[in-house]
């Protein structure tokens, strides 16, 4: 049974909606109803995915609020909580595939003429350049997550970022 749970936990990140939830909950704690409204999902669906993320240790319950006589848990995501999942090569591949699959939908929401940055590279780098690139990518991730604010904060812009920076096997490098 423990092995089944482990495999289930590893697959928790392989769902685009869950990745969107993690990003959303980096900026603010929210209940299932709030997440559902923000992401255009049903409350039941949001609640199911939030429970899976919580069971996997990716979300913390930060408080409970009374809403219309019931109690609602409010969840928050600590971006550092997912590091343990990346120790498994299969989970790394699953996560990158999920990120890539979600990207076309995000790209459709890029307003015409809005600024942005694009880079796609499969290159060979010397060790110093590779380490600098890796450091900058990690710094970017930390900046994005630490600066995240609640959705629809006046003056704030919704931003999409997908970064997957990793070495490839020498036989596959272009």
């Amino acid at each position: 049974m423990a092995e089944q749970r482990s495999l289930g936990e590893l697959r928790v990140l392989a769902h685009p909606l869950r990745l969107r939830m993690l990003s959303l909950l980096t900026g603010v704690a929210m209940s299932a109803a709030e997440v559902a409204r923000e992401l255009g999902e049903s409350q039941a669906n949001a609640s199911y995915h939030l429970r899976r993320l919580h069971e996997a240790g990716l979300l913390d319950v930060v408080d409970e609020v009374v809403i219309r006589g019931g109690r609602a848990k409010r969840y928050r995501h600590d971006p550092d909580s997912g590091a343990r999942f990346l120790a498994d090569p299969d989970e790394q591949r699953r996560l990158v595939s999920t990120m890539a699959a979600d990207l076309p939908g995000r790209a459709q929401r890029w307003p015409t003429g809005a600024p942005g940055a694009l880079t796609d590279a499969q290159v060979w780098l010397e060790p110093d350049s590779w380490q600098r690139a890796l450091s900058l990518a990690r710094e970017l991730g930390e900046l994005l997550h630490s600066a995240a604010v609640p959705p629809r904060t006046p003056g704030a812009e919704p931003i999409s970022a997908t970064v997957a920076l990793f070495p490839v096997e020498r036989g596959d490098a272009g």
Side-chain angles (χ1 to χ4, degrees), residues 3-160:
E3 187 175 331
Q4 285 180 337
R5 178 169 171 82
S6 175
L7 290 173
E9 285 177 351
L10 289 175
R11 292 190 182 108
V12 77
L13 292 175
H15 194 290
L17 179 59
R18 292 184 190 147
L19 291 179
R20 290 176 59 207
M21 288 177 161
L22 291 176
S23 292
L24 177 66
L25 295 170
T26 297
V28 64
M30 298 176 103
S31 68
E34 293 167 322
V35 168
R37 277 192 301 275
E38 185 61 34
L39 298 179
E41 296 289 330
S42 72
Q43 184 173 344
N45 194 33
S47 183
Y48 168 77
H49 288 291
L50 289 170
R51 279 194 313 274
R52 289 289 316 271
L53 290 166
H54 180 256
E55 290 166 1
L58 294 168
L59 293 179
D60 296 320
V61 176
V62 295
D63 66 353
E64 290 191 29
V65 294
V66 176
I67 300 176
R68 291 180 281 234
R71 298 193 67 77
K73 294 177 181 175
R74 299 187 93 192
Y75 298 93
R76 179 130 185 169
H77 171 58
D78 173 3
D80 294 332
S81 66
R84 66 188 164 92
F85 287 88
L86 299 181
D88 181 282
D90 289 335
E91 181 59 13
Q92 287 176 346
R93 289 179 185 97
R94 215 178 339 269
L95 178 56
V96 169
S97 294
T98 302
M99 291 166 55
D102 194 43
L103 195 54
R106 290 191 206 180
Q108 291 299 316
R109 297 185 352 246
W110 186 349
T112 302
L118 292 174
T119 298
D120 181 52
Q122 187 165 322
V123 298
W124 290 72
L125 294 177
E126 293 187 358
D128 288 348
S129 295
W130 161 238
Q131 289 306 312
R132 182 164 182 256
L134 191 57
S135 177
L136 289 170
R138 288 178 176 154
E139 184 180 340
L140 173 62
E142 290 169 10
L143 169 65
L144 292 170
H145 286 98
S146 67
V149 296
R152 306 184 196 296
T153 296
E157 293 287 333
I159 302 299
S160 175

